[in-house]
Amino acid sequence: MSFLKSIGAVLTGFMANVIWSLATDVSVYAAWGVPAFSRPMTDSLFLLAIGYRAVFGVGAGWIAARLAPTSPMRHAVVLGLVGLTLSALGAVATWNEPGLGPRWYSVAIAALALPSAWLGGRLHRAR
């Protein structure tokens, strides 16, 4: 049963991150007159997206640690590794697709996945 709780903790953190990111993408860019996913973004908007995705990564790491039946930091790090892996795969898949954003953005998202989740685990441990 502990194994299922561990999977649930990591999955819940992951889903929170995905939902927060998508909801913010749609609401922020639509509110600024940038129809989500319909025209190219500027570098400043990509930087904004990196910022809030890093914050959401911290929150997701905190959730995974909070829900972990044992070893909260391990769960946060596993979540970070999942994020790193999926982000790196996304970067590779979109590397030669200039319409999907600059390469530095994909690399930055992948690079921030593990540290953000780790920090979320540390914040949980500090409380």
Side-chain angles (χ1 to χ4, degrees):
M1 198 53 131
S2 181
F3 180 71
L4 292 177
K5 288 182 181 181
S6 291
I7 291 173
V10 173
L11 186 59
T12 302
F14 178 79
M15 290 308 299
N17 196 342
V18 168
I19 291 167
W20 292 336
S21 295
L22 290 176
T24 304
D25 286 348
V26 170
S27 64
V28 167
Y29 299 121
W32 285 357
V34 179
F37 313 112
S38 66
R39 72 178 204 208
M41 294 185 11
T42 63
D43 284 347
S44 61
L45 290 177
F46 279 111
L47 285 172
L48 174 64
I50 287 172
Y52 66 72
R53 287 175 191 268
V55 170
F56 296 159
V58 172
W62 186 91
I63 288 171
R66 170 69 179 86
L67 296 177
T70 61
S71 306
M73 281 301 296
R74 182 176 300 160
H75 287 76
V77 169
V78 166
L79 174 63
L81 290 171
V82 168
L84 170 62
T85 302
L86 293 176
S87 298
L89 288 172
V92 169
T94 62
W95 195 255
N96 292 319
E97 300 292 335
L100 296 177
R103 291 176 175 164
W104 62 262
Y105 175 75
S106 299
V107 171
I109 292 296
L112 287 171
L114 185 56
S116 297
W118 177 85
L119 181 56
R122 291 288 297 186
L123 290 174
H124 173 266
R125 195 162 97 176
R127 111 185 140 85

